[in-house]
Amino acid sequence: MKKFYIPASQNSKPENGDVICVNRGLYLHYGVYVSENNHVIHYTGETGPNDFNGVVRETSLNEFLNGAENFNICKFPERPILNNIFCSNKSHGIFKLIRAFQIFNLINYKLYSGAETVARAKSRLGENKYNLALNNCEHFAIWCKTGVRDSSQVDNILNLISNIFK
């Protein structure tokens, strides 16, 4: 259930403030590209990508890639994509909460310029509030670009769980 962005072609030249992602096998890892020094600001471990004590750090693009050869640049529309944004109508309380959060995200969506996106990312350098479900690398990067905290990966897991309880 992709909501706010569209993955673009692999390995295009990223521009300042682009949200980029790399496939790490079981998950996608996201960050904000900084063109002035070919760096990426992202949630990563204090000692590198294999340390899961997440901290917002600025690293080289090569460190962000962690051996991967390909990455995607996420493209964002002026307004959020509305197709399939709302989860199906469920009676469980968690699904009503998810629906309310999705509506809140629609209201708060704003597409920031590249410079604004980088400034927002830099404002959170050193933050160590990583949470896989509520504040992961995707939440961080999407928030920097749009003001919305969102993770399609978390949403996909919630959808999978909801299908189990149908």
Side-chain angles (χ1 to χ4, degrees), residues 33 86 109 150:
Y33 181 75
F86 297 106
Y109 183 95
D150 184 64

Side-chain angles (χ1 to χ4, degrees), residues 2-165:
K2 203 66 81 178
K3 289 189 255 184
F4 297 111
Y5 57 92
I6 306 157
S9 60
Q10 289 185 345
N11 290 346
S12 302
K13 175 67 176 150
E15 296 179 8
N16 194 46
D18 276 348
V19 172
I20 62 174
C21 70
V22 61
N23 190 330
R24 295 266 174 90
L26 292 176
Y27 63 96
L28 297 175
H29 183 60
Y30 290 80
V32 174
Y33 181 75
V34 183
S35 64
E36 67 189 62
N37 53 11
N38 202 34
H39 278 190
V40 180
I41 300 174
H42 56 119
Y43 252 115
T44 186
E46 288 185 70
T47 61
N50 296 322
D51 171 4
F52 292 99
N53 180 23
V55 176
V56 176
R57 296 176 50 228
E58 183 171 342
T59 68
S60 70
L61 177 60
N62 284 336
E63 185 175 337
F64 173 80
L65 294 174
N66 192 31
E69 294 179 16
N70 300 315
F71 62 89
N72 284 328
I73 300 170
C74 300
K75 296 296 180 189
F76 295 81
E78 287 296 323
R79 294 177 189 238
I81 300 166
L82 298 177
N83 295 345
N84 300 322
I85 188 163
F86 297 106
C87 61
S88 57
N89 191 11
K90 303 283 184 182
S91 59
H92 302 292
I94 187 67
F95 299 103
K96 290 178 182 175
L97 181 63
I98 291 168
R99 183 183 303 271
F101 187 70
Q102 290 170 335
I103 292 169
F104 177 79
N105 277 344
L106 278 175
I107 293 167
N108 288 300
Y109 183 95
K110 176 187 178 198
L111 190 58
Y112 289 95
S113 71
E116 290 171 319
T117 302
V118 170
R120 289 168 65 80
K122 286 184 176 185
S123 76
R124 291 180 58 183
L125 284 171
E127 177 182 293
N128 63 349
K129 297 178 182 176
Y130 181 86
N131 180 294
L132 182 62
L134 301 173
N135 194 36
N136 64 37
C137 62
E138 186 178 9
H139 287 110
F140 166 76
I142 303 303
W143 175 86
C144 291
K145 190 68 177 176
T146 68
V148 170
R149 293 181 63 241
D150 184 64
S151 172
S152 61
Q153 296 175 106
V154 171
D155 291 347
N156 288 339
I157 292 169
L158 289 174
N159 265 348
L160 181 65
I161 291 169
S162 75
N163 288 332
I164 292 171
F165 292 106

